[in-house]
Amino acid sequence: MQPTNKKLSLSWRVGRMSIDIENFTTSAESKSKEMAFKQKSARNFTLDLEFKANETPFIFSFLLQDSDNTVIKSHRKTSFCVPVGFTRGFPSPLGLSFPRDGSMNFALFSKHAKSVILCLYSDIVDDKPALEIGLDPYVNRSGHIWHASLECDPTYTRYSYRCKMAESSSGSGHSVSDPYAKIVMKGGSLLLGQLCKEPFFDWRGDVRLNIPKEKLVVYRLNVKQFTIDKSSLLPPDIAGYFSGLTEKLTHFKDLGINAVLLEPVFSFDEQEGPYFPRHFFSPSNLYGQSSQPMSAINSLKEMVKTFHANGIEVLMEVVFTHTAKSGALQGIDDSSYYFTDKSSDAANSLRCNYLVVQQMIIDSLRHWSTEFHIDGFCFINASSLLRGVNGEILSRPPLVESIAFDPLLSKTKIIADCWNPHDLASEDLRFPHWKKWAEVNPRFCKDIRNFLRGRGLLSDLATRLCGSGDKFSDGRGPSFSFNFISRNSGLSLVDLVSFSDDVPASELSWNCGKEGPTTKTTILERRLKQIRNYLFILFVSLGIPVLNMGDECGQTTGGSVSYSERKPLDWNALKTGYGIQTTRFISFLTSLRIRRSDLLQRREFLKIENIYWCGSEPVQFFSVRLRF
């Protein structure tokens, strides 16, 4: 400072409840104070201020003023604002991280945000932030990443953000969750990130099974519905949770199952269902005791470890092509994360091949693989993974290719399922695979259903028995075909042989001569034979059989094809004559696959000269009247 005889004073104040550097004059709650500098020499002026450590973080705002009332302001023509207790932080990694210096680093991608506010919550008030920190775009932004670092303070336990877009008319912006938060808890309409590290889990002794695909026998289930029914005889603190699956381990072993496929366990919108996620890095708290995030995380890890110890892999259905209609990524940067074309299938469709979204998906998959030891992923609505950033169909979608060659993910089982949760239909298309991607095979389901109702060709049956060479002879093989008869939408196995008059024609069902429930012995015997036909073909066909929850005990929805009509598994039905017989039959089929692994668990297709068909006259071979 140049020599002067004028007095210099400091007009200052502190803001804590709402720290907004750009608009500090309107958001601070403290009154301005004035203090005069002490002149040490012609060039040096000093002023001492003291603050208690527990008052941080806060903004120290000040103006310089001389005795002539000349005011020195910042380059923004406002007060100088100095953050105390928080720094600019780092743009990587995204989400909440804990550097070695004991601080907490926050990083959020938002390309089009005009301003971003970090909201911190205490345990005293659930839905209102205890502290809001406005991030300075000149200091706390690198490229399109907003970031800040705070000293760890036990006063604050959760966090979220508030983003305001340049074109937004909302004065305060939209409250949003951190898409990279590893531990989340519901706070009002938001999922709030927890300000803590993930709990330690002892994985010692856990071994990745790496079961070859051709040896898999898969059981698809819904975590809550599998044990929530009182007939499971599990205590309330276990029934319907991850720990409930562990308690029913013997059921899978009795069936000969060596892999379970979990319906999506991401945090989801409870009105829309698990196929409409709100978050991608943490299991839903609904699957943990007392709906606590730590409980859900630990019980899932314990379940995976126990299943591995018993020779069973854990696969997960994942949904990355769309989110719930609200409470997910909306408000962070919609034009980056979502397709904005209103004519698209859904307004909540994600731009999976946009670089930032693509990286988020890969980071999520790596997280589930490393932190939870998940063995594989089944990608629901996989056809939408082929869409480019403008909605065009790509022959080499970057995301699909990146997953196929990722050094970690390529060692897991990656499965494309083109079933669309919006219209509950499967799309049959050519999926780019790089000899890495397996596929859920809707042709198998269609042709077997058609044949067993007497309207299919024997040649179609032969193609499915031999591993669907029309679909997988492109450098892969039959072990890349995940075969199913029924799934968690549409008709269940027992309903396939009980309803046909009042269900959509696309279900390809046959009621065996009587619609709905009946007591006629001839009809019941015919239905039982058809069910065994379905199961026999499923298990002796080349490829991976996928059994749907409840099909082993005759679970029914009364002919409804809606996913929402699915009922919890009735464990009493397993004790009936039908349940016992069907369970034993499935167990026999799984053991048959093992005994004749040379024929039924093949990685390559059978050669034509090694196939000999018998039992049909040449003129009858293509007869549509034949039944198995």
Side-chain angles (χ1 to χ4, degrees), residues 213 216 261 313 315-316 318 365 369 374-380 382 385 399-406 408-417 431-440 472 476 479-482:
K213 286 196 293 291
L216 290 178
L261 176 60
E313 289 191 337
L315 314 177
M316 270 178 40
V318 291
L365 294 170
S369 180
I374 299 298
D375 300 288
F377 305 94
C378 181
F379 293 76
I380 298 298
L385 298 177
L399 174 62
V400 176
E401 186 172 4
S402 296
I403 293 173
F405 293 101
D406 185 88
L408 175 63
L409 300 178
S410 61
K411 293 180 173 60
T412 66
K413 295 173 175 66
I414 48 177
I415 310 152
D417 186 353
F431 194 86
H433 54 81
W434 290 276
K435 299 182 181 180
K436 301 283 188 179
W437 284 81
E439 294 183 52
V440 173
F472 297 99
R476 291 181 286 181
S479 64
F480 286 81
S481 175
F482 279 67

Side-chain angles (χ1 to χ4, degrees), residues 33 38 84 91 96 182 187 215 223 267 269 333 367 385 395 400 407 465 474 490 500 597:
K33 300 178 182 179
K38 294 179 181 179
V84 178
L96 173 66
K182 304 304 188 297
K215 297 185 180 296
V223 173
S267 297
D269 185 287
D333 190 348
H367 177 72
L385 298 177
S395 59
V400 176
L465 285 172
D474 53 0
S500 56
S597 59

